[in-house]
């Protein structure tokens, strides 16, 4: 089986997953397991990989998604406990006083929180800050959670250009320069992107207003106020701990501070937070602890299963092997000539073979336009460590410098980072917002693509990307 055939099979696998999800044929977790496993078996039958290579692929995938799965489980439990204890209701009340009945104010506030929350460059931690704090406000205002995600991911994509964030650091590594040097080139584009995402927040607010969102909007008049049912309200009253509001706020700030500090695995702050919150709020009562955890077990299990399915998807698509059968890290740029390339590296080589003939001189422009669709097929490591070196090598053959290619790939791909199912943080965000990944992609894709093209055009106007 040739590498070209492997790349084509990988593309067909990705298309099958996307089509299946968009037609609501099954859950993401099932699609992420079934199609990649079928692909892996085809690769085995075709003699491309040995049977024990499938085991190595899946183990590699789990090593990348397991931390996010742990983060999700404990973040859901933590914010669930904070909601039960009444802390979230107080915060919502104060946020509502701040924005009043301004739908546009809510979307702009979401953008600002996402921009500030993403200063540490961590997508998972930003979702854990933005979604739980703003989702109840969106529900109360009859606004769509898909809008919350769209506004958030555009702001996160812009802040993801910081020198300590993953994509910029990866691209700088490939270029052989300091991340801060690359960032100095990206800074004007980032400033433009911040203005653009604030403008998009206003647009998103106007769109929500037009469909009748707001405390006194058409949807509120048709559907009434968003309230809990009687049983849920009684349960909430039973679990509320208003006297411990100050403790819960300080504990939450402590958890967020540990996330931003980034000295521990991202799930550890939430594990500690769950333990402290459940013990302080509800005492030494195992039956009460079990009751509270059971209240939030359903969403945690559903999302955890999706992340475990994503482990199979990422493992099968991104794992390469050396001649001895050992796994080659996706961060490896120089692959031995006798290595068995991963599916996405084979796909990158197909793109390499297709592009040069007609479009080599305009490679930065072409790759910038294609970056958002490609983000749905490539994880971050494979994109920057696997595809970027290939594109730079192609550019050299046509006299195109490496820096404009890297800028186009970093800027345009960053816009799409958090709509890609290949990025575990995306699955975390959709899980927290209780939105299907297909709905998130459907409602965000064209906006993200247009946003990325505008950023690229701005870079062209500045001469950062030459025509």
């Amino acid at each position: 089986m040739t590498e070209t055939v492997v790349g084509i099979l990988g593309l067909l696998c990705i298309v099958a997953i996307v089509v299946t999800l968009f037609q609501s044929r099954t859950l993401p977790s099932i699609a992420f397991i079934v199609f990649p496993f079928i692909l892996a078996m085809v690769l085995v039958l075709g003699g491309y990989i040995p049977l024990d290579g499938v085991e190595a692929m899946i183990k590699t995938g789990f090593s990348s998604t397991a931390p996010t799965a742990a983060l999700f489980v404990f973040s859901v439990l933590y914010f669930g406990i904070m909601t039960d204890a009444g802390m979230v209701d107080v915060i919502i009340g104060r946020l509502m006083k701040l924005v009043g009945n301004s739908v546009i104010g809510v979307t702009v506030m979401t953008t600002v929180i996402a921009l500030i929350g993403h200063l540490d460059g961590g997508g998972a931690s930003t979702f854990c800050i933005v979604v739980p704090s703003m989702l109840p406000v969106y529900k109360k205002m009859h606004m769509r959670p898909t809008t919350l995600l769209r506004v958030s991911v555009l702001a996160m994509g812009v802040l993801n250009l910081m020198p300590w964030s993953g994509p910029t650091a990866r691209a700088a590594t490939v270029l052989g320069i300091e991340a801060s040097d690359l960032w100095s080139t990206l800074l004007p584009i980032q400033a433009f992107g911040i203005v653009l995402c604030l403008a998009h927040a206003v647009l998103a607010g106007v769109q929500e207003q037009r469909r009748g969102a707001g405390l006194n909007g058409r949807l509120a008049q048709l559907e009434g106020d968003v309230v809990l049912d009687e049983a849920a309200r009684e349960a909430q009253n039973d679990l509320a701990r208003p006297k411990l509001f100050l403790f819960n706020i300080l504990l939450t700030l402590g958890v967020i501070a540990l996330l931003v500090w980034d000295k521990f695995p991202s799930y550890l702050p939430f594990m500690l937070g769950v333990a402290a919150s459940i013990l302080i709020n509800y005492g030494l009562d195992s039956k009460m602890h079990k009751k509270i955890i059971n209240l939030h077990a359903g969403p945690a299990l559903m999302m955890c299963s999706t992340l475990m399915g994503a482990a199979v998807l990422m493992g099968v698509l991104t794992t390469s092997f050396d001649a001895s059968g050992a796994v080659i890290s996706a961060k490896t740029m120089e692959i031995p000539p006798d290595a068995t390339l991963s599916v996405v590296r084979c796909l990158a080589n197909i793109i390499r073979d297709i592009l040069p003939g007609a479009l080599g001189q305009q490679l930065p422009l072409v790759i910038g336009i294609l970056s958002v669709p490609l983000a749905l097929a490539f994880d971050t490591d494979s994109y920057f460590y696997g595809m970027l070196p290939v594109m730079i090598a192609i550019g050299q053959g046509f006299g195109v410098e490496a820096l404009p290619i890297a800028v186009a790939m970093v800027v345009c791909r960053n816009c799409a980072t958090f709509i890609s199912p290949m990025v575990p943080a995306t699955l975390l965000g959709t899980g927290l917002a209780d939105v299907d990944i297909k709905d998130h992609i459907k409602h965000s894709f064209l906006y993200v693509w247009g946003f990325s093209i505008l950023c690229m055009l701005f870079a062209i106007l500045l001469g950062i990307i030459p025509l």
Side-chain angles (χ1 to χ4, degrees):
M1 183 178 290
T2 65
E3 292 177 358
T4 300
V5 172
V6 172
I8 293 172
L9 289 173
L11 180 61
L12 291 175
C13 175
I14 294 165
V15 170
I17 291 172
V18 172
V19 170
T20 301
L21 293 180
F22 270 62
Q23 292 183 349
S24 300
R25 298 294 185 182
T26 188
L27 296 173
S29 56
I30 304 302
F32 290 164
I33 293 169
V34 172
F35 290 109
F37 190 75
I38 292 174
L39 172 61
M41 290 298 101
V42 172
L43 296 181
V44 170
L45 293 174
Y48 189 73
I49 60 172
L51 184 59
D52 57 2
V54 178
E55 177 187 5
M57 283 177 161
I58 295 174
K59 284 184 176 179
T60 302
F62 268 85
S63 68
S64 64
T65 60
T68 305
L71 169 63
F72 183 84
V73 169
F74 285 96
S75 63
V76 165
L77 289 176
Y78 181 78
F79 287 114
I81 293 168
M82 290 296 101
T83 301
D84 294 338
M87 184 199 78
V88 174
D89 288 336
V90 176
I91 294 175
I92 293 168
R94 293 181 182 177
L95 285 175
M96 295 304 297
K97 286 182 181 179
L98 185 62
V99 301
N101 192 35
S102 173
V103 175
I104 295 174
V106 172
T107 53
V108 171
M109 179 182 292
T110 304
T111 297
V112 172
I113 294 173
L115 288 170
I116 295 172
H118 203 62
L119 282 170
D120 68 339
S125 60
T126 306
F127 277 127
C128 287
I129 294 169
V130 178
V131 176
S133 62
M134 295 305 299
L135 182 60
V137 177
Y138 275 69
K139 288 182 176 179
K140 193 170 183 66
M141 300 279 280
H142 296 270
M143 298 168 67
R144 292 169 293 184
T146 50
T147 299
L148 164 60
L149 287 176
R150 193 179 82 215
V151 168
S152 300
V153 300
L154 284 173
M156 291 162 66
V158 170
L159 259 290
N160 222 29
L161 295 174
M162 301 303 283
W164 52 81
S165 65
T168 302
R170 289 175 174 91
T173 300
V174 175
L175 291 172
I177 63 176
E178 293 292 328
S180 56
D181 293 335
L182 177 57
W183 182 55
S184 64
T185 303
L186 300 175
L187 188 55
I189 308 172
Q190 187 177 37
F192 173 75
I194 290 173
V195 174
L196 199 59
C197 70
L198 288 169
H200 166 265
V202 174
L203 172 64
V206 171
Q207 290 173 329
E208 288 295 324
Q209 276 185 331
R210 286 179 178 172
R211 58 180 291 274
L215 291 176
N216 302 311
R218 186 176 69 256
L219 292 175
Q221 295 172 5
L222 292 174
E223 301 171 6
D225 293 336
V226 177
V227 294
L228 296 169
D229 59 49
E230 202 62 37
R233 210 167 4 191
E234 289 177 5
Q236 186 183 54
N237 291 336
D238 182 49
L239 297 174
R241 298 293 185 267
K243 293 181 179 179
L244 292 172
F245 173 76
L246 181 59
F247 165 78
N248 288 326
I249 281 288
L250 292 175
L251 179 62
T252 301
L253 292 175
V255 168
I256 293 172
L258 283 177
L259 281 173
V260 174
W261 191 26
D262 199 26
K263 293 296 183 182
F264 303 101
S266 58
Y267 47 82
L268 182 60
F270 282 106
M271 294 176 77
L272 296 173
V274 167
S277 61
I278 204 167
L279 288 171
I280 300 299
N281 282 284
Y282 302 107
L284 300 174
D285 185 345
S286 63
K287 289 184 178 180
M288 178 63 82
H289 297 175
K290 183 178 180 180
K291 173 184 176 181
I292 292 166
I293 290 175
N294 283 340
L295 284 174
H296 308 288
L301 178 61
M302 177 65 73
M303 193 57 220
C304 194
S305 67
T306 300
L307 286 164
M308 294 299 100
V312 179
L313 170 67
M314 295 183 67
V316 171
L317 293 184
T318 66
T319 304
S320 300
F321 300 96
D322 64 18
S324 67
V327 171
I328 300 175
S329 171
K331 297 180 180 181
T332 304
M333 290 179 284
E334 297 294 332
I335 300 293
D338 57 354
T340 301
L341 298 184
S342 69
V343 174
V344 291
R345 285 184 184 269
C346 293
L347 183 55
N349 288 339
I350 292 176
I351 296 170
R352 175 198 64 194
D353 295 337
I354 292 174
L355 286 181
L359 302 168
Q361 293 289 347
Q362 302 299 328
L363 190 58
L365 185 63
V366 173
I367 200 65
I369 293 173
L370 294 178
S371 285
V372 171
L374 289 175
L376 301 182
F378 287 83
D379 69 297
T380 307
D381 283 335
S382 296
Y383 188 80
F384 286 104
Y385 292 125
M387 190 169 178
L388 178 55
V390 170
M391 294 298 110
I392 290 174
I394 294 171
Q396 288 174 343
F398 290 89
V400 180
E401 294 183 3
L403 183 60
I405 296 173
V407 169
M409 291 185 72
V410 171
V411 170
C412 297
R413 202 278 181 182
N414 261 346
C415 296
T417 297
F418 300 108
I419 66 169
S420 172
M422 297 291 286
V423 176
T426 302
L427 303 176
L428 174 66
T430 56
L432 290 171
D434 195 22
V435 171
D436 285 342
I437 183 69
K438 67 178 179 64
D439 292 329
H440 175 42
I441 296 174
K442 188 185 300 182
H443 285 84
S444 300
F445 183 83
L446 292 179
Y447 288 93
V448 168
W449 203 357
F451 192 97
S452 73
I453 291 173
L454 288 174
C455 288
M456 184 177 65
L457 292 175
F458 184 75
I460 292 172
L461 287 175
L462 295 181
I464 298 173
I465 299 177
L467 285 177

